[in-house]
Amino acid sequence: MIRQVRNRLIKRLFFVALLLSVLSGTVVFFLEIEEVGENVLQLALQEAQSLSDHVAFLSLKDQRDFEMVRKQVAEHIMSDHISRGHFVVIELYDPGKKKVLEVSDPDYEQVEAAVNKQPHDKLLTDKVDYRKLRIDGLLYVQVFAPISLASGEVAAYFEGVYRVDPEAMRSINQRLLVSVLQVVVVIFVTAAAMYPVIIVLNRDMIRLSDDLAMANMGILEALGSAVSKRDRGTNSHNYRVTLYAIRLAEAVGLDREGIQGLVKGAFLHDIGKIGVSDDILHKPAGLTPEESRVMEEHVDHGVDIVKNYAWLTDAFDVVKYHHEKYDGTGYRTGLRGRDIPLKARIFAIVDVFDALTSKRPYRDPASYHEALHMMQEERGTRFDPDLLDKFMTIAADLHRDICLAGDERLVGMLAELRAVYFGAGRDVIA
């Protein structure tokens, strides 16, 4: 069990390390890219303000003069702002936000076309703004800035597309890798330091959980035994039916969680009889129809007792349905066939087997062969035929090992099986 706990811890610590690495890497990446954007923004502001002396042509009225100066400004932008730097597209807009000039690097026509598809009219404001674009796997920063005169009046609007140097991106990726590796190292060093502490804490938790499980099972055992003694004068019935139920459940392949619920239900199957009077419970002769109805109510009493406790949820099926019959003639719900929960169908078989082979106030116990013969007669009517067939294959061993055993032996056998299904902290760490 400890090995399983260690394996789970290692897997979970590795998962946490991986998750934190991805998160930290993502954060570092976005911070680095944001820094690139801010740097480009400052560069763009310088570029924009350097053009402030060249936007006076926007106020020219003569169209020929306007076109001549516009051409000169375009040449200036190409030679001083595009050819020498990383801007691949620069556009100028008049104060009415009408595009009056566009200059682009011929080698980046596809970038210009992609940028022109992006809506940007709302970004041309009196505030500086930018956005990042990925085109053909490369990073570009599109910057928007007003060009102001000395008086503070906005004379034009600048829009530029800056190509982030691939070398800068490689540097970002390298810093990203280093940051992620640092996080991974720190996480694993911390995990290695905490690992022994976690193991010790889990071992203590397992031990406490085992103690609690054993204490709870002890309470169920005592409570079930008290009801059994009141009903039959002995608590052997509860031990036997619980052992029978475990053996049959194992034979049909019921999983561990199912067997846990079956054991709880076996202890508490008749808990509702505390609500039945002694006159009916200990009556040496057969019950009248009215008395039978009162006796049947012990199922409802039992359900009322267990339904409010989460730890007993898995015992509910046995308590509520153990008197149902396969053909639907049982009580209290009239379920039939496989609609009856499996644990209840298992328990119904072993409960009747023990009742037939035990001495009751109004009759002597049936022999082993008589009991099996009577149960076979109710195959498919009272009992699940497949489960009964499986029971028949182990009945001889059960009768020899359990039915004929003394109380001390029964207690010891049950303690061993209880440790298997409720001990060793198996439920503590999933």
Side-chain angles (χ1 to χ4, degrees), residues 94-321:
D94 65 17
K97 301 180 180 180
K98 177 182 177 182
K99 184 190 294 187
V100 295
L101 181 64
E102 179 177 340
V103 183
S104 61
D105 189 324
D107 294 334
Y108 292 89
E109 292 181 355
Q110 77 280 9
V111 174
E112 180 183 6
V115 169
N116 287 335
K117 294 179 181 179
Q118 300 284 336
H120 58 269
D121 55 320
K122 293 183 179 180
L123 296 174
L124 294 173
T125 66
D126 293 344
K127 295 181 179 180
V128 179
D129 203 354
Y130 72 94
R131 65 185 173 192
K132 297 179 289 293
L133 304 171
R134 279 199 173 274
I135 302 174
D136 294 335
L138 296 176
L139 179 64
Y140 296 86
V141 180
Q142 188 178 14
V143 184
F144 307 89
I147 299 177
S148 302
L149 302 177
S151 62
E153 179 184 359
V154 175
Y157 293 95
F158 170 90
E159 177 183 333
V161 178
Y162 184 90
R163 178 180 65 88
V164 179
D165 188 5
E167 185 63 33
M169 286 303 302
R170 280 192 291 271
S171 176
I172 291 174
N173 291 331
Q174 289 176 355
R175 290 197 297 271
L176 173 63
L177 178 61
V178 171
S179 298
V180 171
L181 290 176
Q182 289 175 339
V183 170
V184 171
V185 171
V186 170
I187 290 173
F188 275 99
V189 169
T190 304
M194 292 298 297
Y195 179 78
V197 178
I198 296 173
I199 287 294
V200 171
L201 292 175
N202 273 282
R203 187 180 293 117
D204 291 342
M205 183 173 66
I206 289 171
R207 178 177 53 79
L208 292 174
S209 178
D210 284 347
D211 292 343
L212 179 60
M214 291 300 106
N216 287 338
M217 289 306 300
I219 292 173
L220 293 188
E221 186 175 336
L223 189 58
S225 295
V227 174
S228 184
K229 282 187 175 181
R230 177 172 177 258
D231 183 17
R232 294 174 170 83
T234 175
N235 61 358
S236 300
H237 168 71
N238 261 25
Y239 287 104
R240 288 194 300 268
V241 293
T242 302
L243 290 168
Y244 291 150
I246 293 173
R247 294 285 183 81
L248 179 54
E250 291 173 340
V252 299
L254 187 64
D255 61 25
R256 182 174 177 275
E257 289 72 21
I259 291 178
Q260 286 180 338
L262 184 59
V263 170
K264 296 176 190 178
F267 273 127
L268 298 177
H269 70 283
D270 277 340
I271 187 66
K273 286 185 177 180
I274 62 175
V276 179
S277 69
D278 288 345
D279 292 341
I280 295 177
L281 201 60
H282 297 150
K283 187 175 181 180
L287 301 178
T288 67
E290 180 59 31
E291 290 170 336
S292 294
R293 283 192 292 271
V294 173
M295 178 64 82
E296 290 175 4
E297 291 176 357
H298 83 274
V299 172
D300 299 330
H301 298 323
V303 169
D304 290 338
I305 292 171
V306 303
K307 69 180 181 181
N308 295 320
Y309 299 93
W311 192 67
L312 298 178
T313 300
D314 50 356
F316 186 84
D317 286 350
V318 174
V319 174
K320 183 170 184 178
Y321 302 111

Side-chain angles (χ1 to χ4, degrees), residues 40-52 76-77 80-82 84-87 90 92 147 158 162:
V40 172
L41 181 60
Q42 295 302 318
L43 179 61
L45 288 175
Q46 296 174 14
E47 299 276 350
Q49 288 307 117
S50 69
L51 292 172
S52 61
H76 167 74
I77 291 175
D80 288 7
H81 298 274
I82 291 183
R84 295 182 182 180
H86 289 289
F87 278 97
I90 290 179
L92 291 179
I147 299 177
F158 170 90
Y162 184 90

Side-chain angles (χ1 to χ4, degrees), residues 68-84:
M68 181 182 66
V69 177
R70 189 171 77 91
K71 183 178 180 181
Q72 293 173 351
V73 172
E75 292 174 350
H76 167 74
I77 291 175
M78 175 61 76
S79 62
D80 288 7
H81 298 274
I82 291 183
S83 297
R84 295 182 182 180

Side-chain angles (χ1 to χ4, degrees), residues 413-428:
M413 293 171 64
L414 187 57
E416 293 175 2
L417 289 174
R418 187 175 59 189
V420 170
Y421 289 104
F422 290 89
R426 289 178 172 87
D427 292 320
V428 177

